[in-house]
Amino acid sequence: MRIAIASDHAAVDLKATLRDYLIELGHEVADLGPETADRVDYPDYGYLLGSVVADGTADYGVALCGSGIGISMAVNRNPACRCALVSEPLSAALAREHNNANCIAMGARLTGIDMAKACLDAFLSTEFGGGRHAGRVEKLSNPPA
């Protein structure tokens, strides 16, 4: 799979660890930055991640910041993105199965490395369930005017 990963300064270390983990699993990974812990604005990286998932450059996105909240909001500004903030594997799996999430967000200050890896594993190994969920997911990408 082609996976893009981005963070803010608070999650740069977790991003590097998860990037390397995804590469070890055999995924093609695009690290969208930042490269250092110098202060940056999470919306910039959330918007960038959303754009590469929306245009098909990446199949999935991984968004990280201190809490995961701000960057997930930025990613979700793109109507083609469904970014789920998760903190454990069940919510990661349900985000894929019920909501066809194409991005996952986590908080570096709230989620340890092993739990973050478990969330990624659950997210990437779960298929969208379709069926009764399909119409709801379609509405997420096409809100009323």
Side-chain angles (χ1 to χ4, degrees):
M1 290 182 227
R2 296 170 301 151
I3 301 170
I5 190 167
S7 72
D8 71 355
H9 55 279
V12 71
D13 292 336
L14 180 60
K15 177 180 63 77
T17 298
L18 294 180
R19 176 196 62 220
D20 294 346
Y21 177 67
L22 290 167
I23 291 169
E24 287 173 18
L25 292 176
H27 299 292
E28 179 183 327
V29 180
D31 185 339
L32 305 179
E35 294 304 318
T36 70
D38 294 339
R39 186 190 168 285
V40 297
D41 294 329
Y42 61 80
D44 298 334
Y45 290 90
Y47 296 149
L48 178 59
L49 182 70
S51 71
V52 300
V53 172
D55 74 13
T57 302
D59 301 310
Y60 297 105
V62 179
L64 307 165
C65 69
S67 68
I69 297 167
I71 200 163
S72 68
M73 290 178 170
V75 174
N76 280 324
R77 298 290 296 184
N78 189 313
C81 293
R82 293 170 303 281
C83 185
L85 173 60
V86 304
S87 58
E88 40 65 43
L90 179 58
S91 60
L94 290 173
R96 286 285 307 126
E97 183 181 352
H98 290 188
N99 310 112
N100 201 18
N102 51 12
C103 298
I104 187 174
M106 292 179 278
R109 294 181 180 134
L110 306 172
T111 308
I113 291 170
D114 291 337
M115 185 59 71
K117 288 178 180 179
C119 289
L120 275 178
D121 291 341
F123 182 79
L124 295 173
S125 66
T126 303
E127 296 293 326
F128 176 49
R132 70 182 195 274
H133 305 293
R136 297 170 188 151
V137 170
E138 180 63 26
K139 287 180 179 184
L140 292 174
S141 294
N142 296 293

